[in-house]
Structure formats: structure tokens, C-alpha cells
Amino acid sequence: MPRKGILVDRPYERLTREQVELIHQASMQILTDPGLISFNREAVDILHSHGAAVESIAGDHQSWQVKIPEQVVLSAIDSAPKTVKLGARNPDNTLIMHGDEPRVYLVTGSETNIWLDVDFPTYVNKADPTREIRMPEFKPRRGTVDDLCQSAHVCEHLEMVDGYIRTVNIQDRDITEENKDVNKFFASLNNNTKHFMSGLTSLKQLDNVVRMAELIAGGKKALEDNPIISFITCLVKSPLQFVDDTTDTFIEVCRRGLPIVVSSSPQAGTTAPIREAGIMAQINAEVLAGITLGQLVKPGTPVLYGSVPVRARMDTLGDSYGSVETSQYNIDCVQMARFYGLPNYSTSGVCDSKIPGQQSSIERLFSDIVVAMSGPQYLHCAFGLLDCNSVFCLLQAVLDDAHFKMIELFLRQPRIDQTELEAVLKQIREVVATPQKLYIGYIRPVLRSGEISGLYPFEGGGEADDVFELAYERMKELLARPVEHIDPETTARIFEEIPGVLPRLNIYERGD
Amino acid sequence: MPEDIISLIQENVIQGRMTRDDEGMDEGIVGQPGVTELVEKALASGLSIQDIITKGLSGGMNIVGQKFEAGEYFIPDMLASAQAVGAAMEILEPHLAGSGVNAKGKIIVATVKDDLHDIGKNIVSILLRGAGYTVKDLGNNVDIQVIVDAVREEKPQFLGLSALLTSTMARMADVIQMLEENGLRDQVKIVVGGAPVSEEFAKSIGADGYGADGFQAVAVVEALSSGTEN
Ligand code: B12
């Protein structure tokens, strides 16, 4: 049984059908004029052999202008699966996504460099030293493998998290470019039984992480049937450039038939036009170019239409995920993917704010609600992420989970039909005839069915705002709850066969 | 009316108009000469280079800086002005010798090997040009050897390195080491930047300076030029 996700009944749409088609046509024009610049030779050869016009560009780095005809793109869209299955260590955590069904799965992300610890020092009122309060204090530091394990552990228990994308960039002294991938995969898979998605640091590690996944899934065939891992690649650098090394990785993952996200992250104002029509026509062209390449490498490769559009901040030209336009672009992309019938990877919840607090709550909740309402299949909804993807805070992830519970309840389908109306009309007539004129007696059956939304889960007593402290308690509680690790025998084989996994990650040799 | 040309230059720097085709902040000025045309005109009228630069270009840039500080201008405004000044400096460069104005110096910038992030580096380049430096941008994903060769051949006073990935930060140290091995390290002051880079990291790899953003990049280069930085 796959996970339920949130089935959005009537998804919110910003664009009319005509606008969607206009964007599609503009993207098709972009793909032939100006086309893409490819820094990757193999991509050029593959596209060329299927009818793309190719021309070499003079310069320091070898590059080619590639013009992809509409027909090639359309037949690639045709061959891309409209249903994608992402497996999981625990089969109950399987995700099944249909491009035409707005069922939203919520996932974590991204690879932040900074991990935010929290502490609650006590402050004394200067005027009245008998009065004290505890205030949260957030302390940033570089992320480690242990942090990644902790985050995977807590996300295993967060009810609304459907899938796990590695949250933090592991920067321990003993982590190198050569052993980073195997360690991020092992740390995540060993502490979390949900689907695991990640980017790859080094293509040389692809076979090792795939082998690790095969060992865990129970063999090559078992991994094919239950792809417990998938990859995300940003092979197109905006505007319209196939990057050399990520494109290599992309091609190799496609060859192995594992699910992959083609994601593009143009920034409106710098690497894409600041106007909505412009960033939309461009990102759509970029994602389709990637999908086309993938389908030419191996027709039928399971692929997600990945969109991470963002607007630039006007004060630094950094990203502004908190801006309202960012949510608008994301919703537009959901519609484009649905137009093609492809499952969509979308983004919400990333905030500009550097620490949890009012700004972060408002920014993330705003985009979480509106983007979820548009019905993307796989929503990287930034559990715990702050400062535009640069910082991860586990406490924030616990808060996000609670807030998504509210969004889930909000998005449930209305129950209004003939039988329901007959029942309530009966109630109304009965109550109006009584002296008290109260409906209280009818609450209990509904309450027991779990249909009534709860109180805010971190509401404190009295006037104090105890949200952070209560969420922190919850976080500790979840950390104390055990997770189902990979069994000892498989663990032993992983440590035997896969080079580079840090011995300290072997829980069976550690004695705990 | 020579004074007028100078104040027009200043005004157009403030408007961020490089050429006559550019829009400015105000409506209805497209078609009127921009900074480059005005600078050509000032040269033809024999105005002093010193005045063109200090009163016209730098004078305008100072006001742009104040407007930015005050929150009235945003980065895109600042960059438009800096680009206009950069283009003007290119026109003026052949005339600097003997004008009493010293050239500010040359800086080579690059995003290091295996790193494709270049938005920040491009901003830094534009602001440095706007501050009067001659900037040679080698692009992104640049081989160490290409950087070392450029330092040898171009003999810049400064080298600016950018990295946005924790994995590519180490390449900056490699560049410095290779410059040392080639006996070129002492010829050039090296400044580094990019989101994961810090002051401590810059020190630890033996760079001469660090800038957290485009403005600090200009400030640190200015400080190193005047020798106040150590
Ligand atoms: C935009 C972006 C991209 C774009 C780049 C577009 C472009 N043309 O540059 C694209 C989509 C291509 C991209 C790709 C990738 N990215 Co990226 N990207 C970013 C992002 C969101 C913003 C960077 C940016 O442009 N900021 C805006 C500019 C204005 O700021 P800035 O670069 O910091 O520059 C300022 C200062 O640093 C300073 N400065 C900069 N350079 C210099 C130089 C000198 C000399 C001085 C003095 C000062 C200075 O001044 C600048 C102006 O104020 C960052 C997140 C972040 N918040 O930084 C991630 C981020 C850097 N990327 C990340 C990753 C993981 C990747 C990918 C590996 C993704 C993937 N799985 O494929 C690839 C790697 C590609 C490669 N080989 O380089 C991670 C890095 C984590 C890590 N391991 O270190 C980050 C932190 C995001 C995240 N949390 O996941 N990325």
C-alpha cells in the first residue's frame, strides 16, 4: 500500500489553458532559437543523432549550440512514464505518482551547509529580578554525518514527511569528495525507511550507492521493482546551458533506469527574465530539454519534471524564496507538468529568514499552503530549511510537520451530498425544537471519527509563547523513539563491499 | 558649457544610463545622450580627465551609494550605474597617462575549477569596474593553470577568486599554492569570496583579503591598494 499523501480535490490554478499553451509554444521556440549551449559532448552526440542541429562554439571550454526540434521533444514527453513509483525500505512508505492526479507527497531537502542548534538560556528582568524567562537561542555550525543521521531519524517519525531528501551537507574532517556519497546514502537509509532522494557529489560513486541500494532492497531486480533511492540533478544551468559533469551523472543514472528528477532553478532577474512569462517559458524549455535527453538515453526512464524557480532579492540578488512571485512561478510549473501529464517535483516552504520565528513561519506557511493547493506530486517543502536553503534546523522541521498536518486537514474534500444534507437538516429541525437550542450532543460522533482539527499542537499555558520549547520537547521525544535500522547481516555486507563508509556509522560494531 | 557636461555625466551615472538607448529612473529620457556619449563629448571638448572622473563619474557613484544605503536604490540600480561607469573608464583609459589621474589597477577574477556559480562573481566584477578598476573576468569553472597563466601574462595587481561549494573552496588554496610554486605569489594580492568562504578560511589559505559581498569586495581591494589592509 503506498502512502496516502494529500489528494487535492480541485487544484488551484493560476494560468488559463490558453496561457499554458502559450508558454508551451514559447518554450518550443526557445529550444530551436536560441536553443541550448551544451558543455557536455555526449549530450550533443545523443541529441544530434536524434535530429537536433548542432554547432560548435569557439572558446576556452568546448561547447556546442544545440537546437532541439519540437517533434523530438514531443516524442520524449510521450515516452516519459506518466506514473512514477518511488520505493522505500518499508514498502508501506512507497510513493506512487500519476502525472494527472494532484496527490501531493511532502518531502524534505536540501543540502544545507549550516546546522542550527537550539538552546534555551534564561533571562532575568532587570527591573524585577524575580521575573525570568527562557528564550530560544540559535547557534549555527557546519553540518556533520551525525546531524544527517539525527535528521533522518526524526524525519522517520514525522507523520507528514512522505520522503526524505538529504537535508544537510556532511562536512566532517574524514569526509572527502570520494566518500561523501556513500556516507550520505548510508546515514540516511540506515535511519529512515522512507524513500531516499539525493544529488550525487561524484559520478565515480554512482555504482557504489546503487550497489548499496541493491543490498538493502534485496538484489538488482528487487531494486528495479522497489527503487528505494532516486536522484536529483540540476543538469541545466540557467539560462539554457547543459553543464558538463552533472549531465554526465544524469546520463549514467538514466542508463541504469533509476528514477531521476530533472530540475532547473532559474532566478528571475539574474538568470531568467524578471517577468513571469519569461521565466516560465525558459524554465519549461530547460526542464523539457533535460527530459528529452533522458528519454533519448533510455526511453521510459522514470523522470520527474523538477521546478525550483525563484525570484531574485532586489537588495543582494540572492534568492528570495519568501517572495510571493516564487510561489506563483512554482504553481505555474505545476500546471505545465500537468499539461504534459508528467509528475512534478515542486518547491515550497523555503524562507528567507535565518532563524525560526515569526518571519520564517509566515514565509513558509504562505508558500506551503498555496503551492500544496496547486497539487504537485512531489513537493520539496523544505522541512526545517532556513536562509534560502543554507541552514537546516531540526526544531523547525518539527514545527513544519505540525503545520502540514493542518494543511492536510484543510485540503480534505468537502463532504456535502444528499445523505449528509438530509442528516443535518434533521439535526437542525430537532435542535430548534428543544428549549436549549444547542447542537453539542451531535459533536461526539464527529469528534471520535477524527474529523475535527485539533488545537494548535504547541500552544502553551497562560500568556507565554511556548511554541519553541514545546516543539523542542517533541523533537527530543522523537529522537528517543527507536528507528528500524538496516539489519546486521546487510549492514555487514555493506561495510564489506562498499568502500568508504565510515566505520563509526556501523551501529552494530559500536555497541549501541 | 563644460560644467554642464560634467553634471550631465553625474546625473546619468545616477540614472544608470550607459548609452542613449538606456532607460533611466525617470520617464522620457531615452534618446538623450548617456554616460558613454557624454564622456566622448567631454573628451572632445578638452575637459580635464580629473574632473570627468572625480566630479562626473565618482561624484555620481557616491550619490548612488548614498541612495542605496538609504534604501531608495536597489542592487539592479547600483549595477546599472556601475556598468555605466565601467564603460566610461574603458573610454578614458588611453587618456589616463599624463592626466594626473592614476589608473586604479587591474584585477583578474574567476570562479574556480568545478564550480559553475557565477552570479556573485559577476556582481563583484561589475562593482569593481564601477569603482574604476580594469577587470578581466576569466569566467567560471576555470582551470588552475589558466588562472596562473593569466597572472603571469597580464600582471594584474589583484586576483579575485570565487567559490560557492564547500568542495571547490579548496581549489582556492590550490591556486595560491601553484602561484607560489611558479614564483608569482608576491606579484599579486589575492582576495577571495563566495557564500561558504569566511574571513578565517581566507586567512587559513593565505589569501590577502576576503569580501562577504560586492561592496566589501570593492572595499577590501581599495584597502589593499592603499596598503591599509595587512
Ligand atoms: C543560484 C545557485 C545555483 C545555480 C547557479 C547559477 C549561476 N549562474 O551561478 C545553479 C542552479 C546552476 C546551481 C547549481 C548547483 N548548486 Co547551487 N546554488 C545556488 C544558490 C541558490 C545561490 C547562489 C547565488 O547566486 N547567490 C547570489 C549571489 C549574489 O551571492 P553569492 O554568490 O554568495 O556572491 C556574493 C558574495 O558571496 C560575494 N562574493 C562572491 N564571489 C566573490 C569573489 C570575491 C573575490 C569576493 C571578494 C567576494 C565574492 O559577493 C557576491 C555579491 O554580493 C546557492 C545557495 C546560497 N544561498 O548561496 C546554491 C548552492 C551554493 N548550490 C548548491 C549545490 C549543492 C549545487 C549543485 C551541486 C546542485 C546539484 N545537485 O546539481 C550544483 C553545482 C554546480 C556546480 N558544479 O557548481 C549548494 C552547495 C552546498 C555545498 N555542497 O557546498 C547551495 C549552498 C544550495 C544548497 N543548500 O543546496 N546552483
Side-chain angles (χ1 to χ4, degrees), chain A residues 39-96:
Chain A
F39 291 90
N40 185 285
R41 176 74 210 221
E42 201 174 2
V44 172
D45 292 344
I46 294 168
L47 287 161
H48 184 54
S49 69
H50 287 85
V54 168
E55 210 176 297
S56 171
I57 303 171
D60 288 346
H61 293 282
Q62 267 206 315
S63 60
W64 297 263
Q65 190 80 41
V66 185
K67 304 190 174 209
I68 314 176
E70 179 165 354
Q71 208 36 54
V72 178
V73 182
L74 295 182
S75 67
I77 296 172
D78 248 11
S79 81
K82 306 299 175 285
T83 295
V84 171
K85 171 179 168 180
L86 299 180
R89 268 182 61 210
N90 174 353
D92 291 342
N93 285 328
T94 300
L95 310 178
I96 299 209

Coordinates of all heavy atoms in Angstrom, one line a residue, chain A residues 39-96:
Chain A
F39 N 27.9 22.0 -22.7 CA 29.3 21.9 -22.4 C 29.6 20.4 -22.3 O 30.7 20.0 -21.9 CB 29.6 22.6 -21.1 CG 29.6 24.1 -21.2 CD1 28.4 24.7 -20.9 CD2 30.7 24.8 -21.6 CE1 28.3 26.1 -21.0 CE2 30.6 26.2 -21.7 CZ 29.4 26.8 -21.4
N40 N 28.6 19.6 -22.6 CA 28.7 18.1 -22.5 C 28.7 17.5 -23.9 O 27.7 17.6 -24.6 CB 27.6 17.5 -21.6 CG 27.8 16.1 -21.3 OD1 27.6 15.2 -22.2 ND2 28.3 15.7 -20.2
R41 N 29.8 16.8 -24.2 CA 29.9 16.3 -25.6 C 28.9 15.1 -25.8 O 28.3 15.1 -26.9 CB 31.3 15.7 -25.7 CG 31.6 15.0 -27.0 CD 31.8 16.0 -28.1 NE 31.4 15.5 -29.4 CZ 32.0 15.8 -30.5 NH1 33.1 16.5 -30.5 NH2 31.6 15.3 -31.6
E42 N 28.7 14.3 -24.8 CA 27.9 13.1 -25.1 C 26.4 13.5 -25.3 O 25.7 13.0 -26.2 CB 27.9 12.2 -23.9 CG 27.5 10.8 -24.3 CD 27.7 9.8 -23.2 OE1 28.1 10.1 -22.1 OE2 27.3 8.6 -23.5
A43 N 26.0 14.5 -24.6 CA 24.6 15.0 -24.7 C 24.4 15.6 -26.2 O 23.4 15.3 -26.8 CB 24.3 16.1 -23.7
V44 N 25.5 16.2 -26.7 CA 25.4 16.8 -28.0 C 25.3 15.6 -29.0 O 24.4 15.7 -29.9 CB 26.7 17.6 -28.3 CG1 26.8 18.0 -29.8 CG2 26.7 18.8 -27.4
D45 N 26.1 14.6 -28.8 CA 26.0 13.5 -29.8 C 24.7 12.8 -29.8 O 24.1 12.5 -30.8 CB 27.1 12.4 -29.4 CG 28.5 13.0 -29.7 OD1 28.6 14.0 -30.4 OD2 29.5 12.5 -29.2
I46 N 24.2 12.6 -28.5 CA 22.9 11.9 -28.4 C 21.8 12.7 -29.1 O 21.0 12.2 -29.9 CB 22.5 11.6 -26.9 CG1 23.5 10.6 -26.3 CG2 21.1 11.1 -26.8 CD1 23.4 10.5 -24.8
L47 N 21.7 14.0 -28.8 CA 20.7 14.9 -29.3 C 20.8 15.0 -30.9 O 19.9 15.0 -31.6 CB 20.7 16.3 -28.7 CG 20.2 16.3 -27.2 CD1 20.7 17.5 -26.5 CD2 18.7 16.2 -27.2
H48 N 22.1 15.1 -31.3 CA 22.4 15.2 -32.7 C 21.9 14.0 -33.5 O 21.2 14.1 -34.5 CB 23.9 15.4 -32.9 CG 24.2 15.6 -34.4 ND1 23.7 16.6 -35.1 CD2 25.1 15.0 -35.2 CE1 24.2 16.6 -36.4 NE2 25.0 15.6 -36.4
S49 N 22.1 12.8 -32.9 CA 21.7 11.6 -33.6 C 20.2 11.4 -33.7 O 19.7 10.6 -34.4 CB 22.4 10.4 -33.0 OG 21.8 10.2 -31.7
H50 N 19.5 12.2 -32.9 CA 18.0 12.2 -33.0 C 17.5 13.4 -33.7 O 16.3 13.7 -33.5 CB 17.4 12.0 -31.6 CG 17.7 10.6 -31.1 ND1 18.8 10.2 -30.4 CD2 16.9 9.5 -31.1 CE1 18.7 8.9 -30.1 NE2 17.6 8.5 -30.5
G51 N 18.3 14.1 -34.3 CA 17.7 15.2 -35.2 C 18.0 16.6 -34.7 O 17.5 17.6 -35.4
A52 N 18.7 16.8 -33.6 CA 19.0 18.2 -33.2 C 20.1 18.8 -34.1 O 21.0 18.1 -34.4 CB 19.4 18.2 -31.7
A53 N 20.0 20.0 -34.4 CA 21.0 20.7 -35.1 C 22.1 21.1 -34.1 O 21.8 21.7 -33.0 CB 20.5 21.9 -35.8
V54 N 23.4 20.9 -34.5 CA 24.5 21.1 -33.6 C 25.6 21.9 -34.2 O 25.9 21.7 -35.4 CB 25.0 19.7 -33.1 CG1 26.4 19.9 -32.4 CG2 24.0 19.0 -32.3
E55 N 26.1 22.9 -33.4 CA 27.2 23.7 -34.0 C 28.2 24.0 -32.9 O 27.8 24.3 -31.8 CB 26.6 25.0 -34.5 CG 27.3 25.7 -35.6 CD 26.5 26.9 -36.1 OE1 25.3 26.7 -36.5 OE2 27.0 28.0 -35.9
S56 N 29.4 23.8 -33.2 CA 30.5 24.0 -32.2 C 30.7 25.5 -32.0 O 30.6 26.4 -32.9 CB 31.8 23.4 -32.7 OG 32.8 23.7 -31.9
I57 N 30.9 25.9 -30.7 CA 31.2 27.3 -30.3 C 32.6 27.5 -30.0 O 33.2 26.7 -29.2 CB 30.3 27.7 -29.1 CG1 28.8 27.4 -29.4 CG2 30.5 29.2 -28.7 CD1 27.9 27.6 -28.2
A58 N 33.2 28.5 -30.5 CA 34.6 28.8 -30.1 C 34.8 29.3 -28.7 O 33.9 30.0 -28.2 CB 35.2 29.8 -31.1
G59 N 35.9 28.9 -28.0 CA 36.0 29.4 -26.7 C 37.0 28.5 -25.9 O 37.4 27.5 -26.4
D60 N 37.2 28.9 -24.6 CA 38.1 28.1 -23.7 C 37.6 26.7 -23.4 O 38.3 25.8 -23.5 CB 38.3 28.9 -22.4 CG 39.2 30.1 -22.6 OD1 39.8 30.2 -23.7 OD2 39.2 30.9 -21.6
H61 N 36.3 26.7 -23.0 CA 35.7 25.4 -22.8 C 35.0 24.9 -24.0 O 34.3 25.7 -24.7 CB 34.7 25.5 -21.6 CG 35.3 25.8 -20.3 ND1 36.0 24.9 -19.6 CD2 35.4 27.0 -19.6 CE1 36.4 25.5 -18.5 NE2 36.1 26.7 -18.5
Q62 N 35.1 23.7 -24.4 CA 34.4 23.2 -25.5 C 33.0 23.3 -25.3 O 32.4 22.8 -24.2 CB 34.8 21.7 -25.7 CG 36.0 21.5 -26.6 CD 35.9 20.2 -27.3 OE1 35.7 19.2 -26.6 NE2 36.2 20.1 -28.6
S63 N 32.2 23.8 -26.2 CA 30.8 23.9 -26.1 C 30.1 23.9 -27.5 O 30.8 24.2 -28.5 CB 30.4 25.1 -25.3 OG 30.8 26.3 -26.0
W64 N 28.8 23.6 -27.5 CA 28.1 23.4 -28.7 C 26.7 24.1 -28.6 O 26.1 24.0 -27.5 CB 27.9 22.0 -29.1 CG 29.1 21.2 -29.4 CD1 29.7 21.0 -30.6 CD2 30.0 20.6 -28.4 NE1 30.8 20.3 -30.4 CE2 31.1 20.0 -29.1 CE3 30.0 20.5 -27.0 CZ2 32.1 19.3 -28.5 CZ3 31.0 19.8 -26.4 CH2 32.1 19.3 -27.1
Q65 N 26.3 24.7 -29.6 CA 24.9 25.2 -29.7 C 24.0 24.1 -30.2 O 24.3 23.4 -31.2 CB 24.9 26.4 -30.7 CG 23.6 27.2 -30.7 CD 23.6 28.2 -29.5 OE1 24.6 28.8 -29.3 NE2 22.5 28.3 -28.8
V66 N 23.0 23.8 -29.4 CA 22.1 22.6 -29.8 C 20.7 23.1 -29.9 O 20.1 23.8 -29.1 CB 22.1 21.6 -28.6 CG1 21.3 20.4 -29.1 CG2 23.5 21.2 -28.3
K67 N 20.1 22.8 -31.1 CA 18.7 23.2 -31.4 C 17.9 22.0 -31.4 O 18.1 21.1 -32.3 CB 18.6 24.0 -32.6 CG 19.6 25.2 -32.6 CD 19.4 26.2 -33.7 CE 20.3 27.4 -33.4 NZ 19.9 28.6 -33.9
I68 N 16.9 21.9 -30.5 CA 16.1 20.6 -30.4 C 14.7 20.9 -31.1 O 14.0 21.7 -30.6 CB 15.9 20.2 -29.0 CG1 17.3 20.3 -28.2 CG2 15.4 18.8 -28.9 CD1 17.2 20.0 -26.7
P69 N 14.5 20.1 -32.2 CA 13.2 20.3 -32.8 C 12.0 19.9 -32.0 O 12.1 18.9 -31.2 CB 13.3 19.5 -34.1 CG 14.7 19.0 -34.2 CD 15.3 19.1 -32.9
E70 N 10.9 20.5 -32.2 CA 9.7 20.3 -31.4 C 9.3 18.8 -31.4 O 8.9 18.2 -30.3 CB 8.5 21.1 -31.9 CG 7.2 20.9 -31.2 CD 6.2 22.0 -31.5 OE1 6.6 23.0 -32.2 OE2 5.1 21.9 -31.0
Q71 N 9.4 18.2 -32.5 CA 8.9 16.8 -32.7 C 9.7 15.9 -31.7 O 9.2 15.0 -31.1 CB 9.1 16.3 -34.1 CG 8.1 15.3 -34.5 CD 6.7 15.4 -33.9 OE1 6.1 16.5 -33.9 NE2 6.3 14.4 -33.1
V72 N 11.1 16.2 -31.6 CA 11.9 15.3 -30.7 C 11.4 15.5 -29.3 O 11.4 14.5 -28.5 CB 13.4 15.8 -30.9 CG1 14.3 15.0 -30.0 CG2 13.8 15.6 -32.3
V73 N 11.1 16.7 -28.9 CA 10.7 17.0 -27.5 C 9.3 16.3 -27.3 O 9.2 15.6 -26.3 CB 10.5 18.5 -27.3 CG1 10.1 18.8 -25.8 CG2 11.8 19.2 -27.6
L74 N 8.4 16.4 -28.2 CA 7.1 15.9 -28.0 C 7.2 14.3 -27.9 O 6.5 13.8 -27.1 CB 6.2 16.3 -29.1 CG 5.9 17.8 -29.2 CD1 4.9 18.1 -30.4 CD2 5.3 18.3 -27.9
S75 N 8.0 13.7 -28.7 CA 8.0 12.3 -28.6 C 8.7 11.8 -27.3 O 8.4 10.8 -26.8 CB 8.6 11.6 -29.9 OG 9.9 11.9 -30.0
A76 N 9.6 12.7 -26.8 CA 10.2 12.3 -25.5 C 9.2 12.5 -24.4 O 9.1 11.6 -23.5 CB 11.4 13.3 -25.2
I77 N 8.4 13.5 -24.5 CA 7.3 13.6 -23.5 C 6.4 12.4 -23.5 O 6.0 11.9 -22.5 CB 6.5 15.0 -23.7 CG1 7.4 16.2 -23.5 CG2 5.3 15.0 -22.8 CD1 6.8 17.5 -23.9
D78 N 6.2 11.9 -24.7 CA 5.3 10.8 -24.9 C 5.9 9.5 -24.2 O 5.2 8.8 -23.6 CB 5.3 10.5 -26.4 CG 3.9 10.7 -27.0 OD1 3.1 11.3 -26.2 OD2 3.6 10.3 -28.1
S79 N 7.3 9.4 -24.4 CA 7.8 8.1 -23.9 C 8.1 8.2 -22.4 O 8.4 7.2 -21.7 CB 9.1 7.8 -24.7 OG 10.2 8.5 -24.2
A80 N 8.1 9.4 -21.8 CA 8.3 9.5 -20.4 C 7.1 8.9 -19.6 O 6.0 9.3 -19.9 CB 8.5 11.0 -20.0
P81 N 7.4 8.1 -18.6 CA 6.2 7.5 -17.9 C 5.3 8.5 -17.2 O 5.8 9.5 -16.7 CB 6.9 6.6 -16.8 CG 8.3 6.5 -17.2 CD 8.7 7.7 -18.0
K82 N 4.0 8.3 -17.3 CA 3.1 9.2 -16.7 C 2.8 8.8 -15.2 O 2.3 9.6 -14.5 CB 1.8 9.3 -17.5 CG 2.0 9.5 -19.0 CD 2.6 10.9 -19.2 CE 2.9 11.2 -20.6 NZ 4.1 10.5 -21.2
T83 N 3.3 7.7 -14.9 CA 3.2 7.2 -13.5 C 4.6 6.8 -13.0 O 5.3 6.1 -13.7 CB 2.2 6.0 -13.3 OG1 0.9 6.5 -13.7 CG2 2.2 5.5 -11.9
V84 N 5.0 7.4 -11.9 CA 6.3 7.1 -11.4 C 6.2 6.5 -10.0 O 5.5 7.1 -9.2 CB 7.3 8.3 -11.4 CG1 8.6 8.0 -10.7 CG2 7.5 8.8 -12.8
K85 N 6.9 5.4 -9.8 CA 6.9 4.8 -8.4 C 8.2 5.0 -7.8 O 9.3 4.8 -8.3 CB 6.6 3.3 -8.6 CG 6.8 2.6 -7.3 CD 6.5 1.1 -7.4 CE 6.9 0.3 -6.2 NZ 6.7 -1.1 -6.3
L86 N 8.2 5.6 -6.5 CA 9.4 5.7 -5.7 C 9.3 4.7 -4.6 O 8.3 4.8 -3.8 CB 9.6 7.1 -5.2 CG 9.8 8.2 -6.3 CD1 10.0 9.6 -5.7 CD2 11.0 7.9 -7.2
G87 N 10.2 3.7 -4.5 CA 10.0 2.7 -3.5 C 10.6 3.2 -2.1 O 11.0 4.3 -2.0
A88 N 10.6 2.2 -1.2 CA 11.1 2.6 0.1 C 11.5 1.3 0.9 O 11.0 0.2 0.6 CB 10.0 3.3 0.9
R89 N 12.4 1.5 1.9 CA 12.9 0.3 2.7 C 11.6 -0.3 3.3 O 11.5 -1.6 3.3 CB 13.8 0.8 3.8 CG 15.3 0.8 3.4 CD 16.1 1.2 4.6 NE 15.9 0.3 5.7 CZ 16.0 0.7 7.0 NH1 16.3 2.0 7.3 NH2 15.8 -0.2 8.0
N90 N 10.7 0.5 3.8 CA 9.5 -0.1 4.3 C 8.4 0.1 3.2 O 8.1 1.2 2.8 CB 9.1 0.7 5.5 CG 7.7 0.3 6.0 OD1 7.0 -0.5 5.3 ND2 7.3 0.8 7.2
P91 N 8.0 -1.0 2.6 CA 7.1 -0.9 1.4 C 5.8 0.0 1.7 O 5.2 0.5 0.7 CB 6.7 -2.3 1.1 CG 7.7 -3.2 1.8 CD 8.2 -2.4 2.9
D92 N 5.4 0.1 2.9 CA 4.3 1.0 3.2 C 4.6 2.4 3.0 O 3.7 3.3 3.0 CB 3.9 0.8 4.7 CG 3.3 -0.6 5.0 OD1 2.9 -1.2 4.0 OD2 3.3 -1.0 6.2
N93 N 5.8 2.7 2.8 CA 6.2 4.1 2.5 C 6.4 4.4 1.0 O 7.0 5.4 0.6 CB 7.5 4.5 3.2 CG 7.3 4.7 4.7 OD1 6.2 5.1 5.1 ND2 8.2 4.4 5.6
T94 N 6.0 3.5 0.2 CA 6.1 3.7 -1.3 C 5.3 4.9 -1.7 O 4.2 5.2 -1.2 CB 5.5 2.4 -2.0 OG1 6.3 1.3 -1.6 CG2 5.6 2.6 -3.5
L95 N 5.8 5.6 -2.7 CA 5.1 6.7 -3.3 C 4.7 6.4 -4.7 O 5.6 6.0 -5.5 CB 6.0 8.0 -3.2 CG 6.7 8.3 -1.9 CD1 7.5 9.6 -2.1 CD2 5.7 8.5 -0.8
I96 N 3.5 6.6 -5.1 CA 3.1 6.4 -6.5 C 2.5 7.7 -7.0 O 1.5 8.2 -6.4 CB 2.1 5.2 -6.6 CG1 2.8 4.0 -6.0 CG2 1.6 5.1 -8.0 CD1 2.3 2.7 -6.6

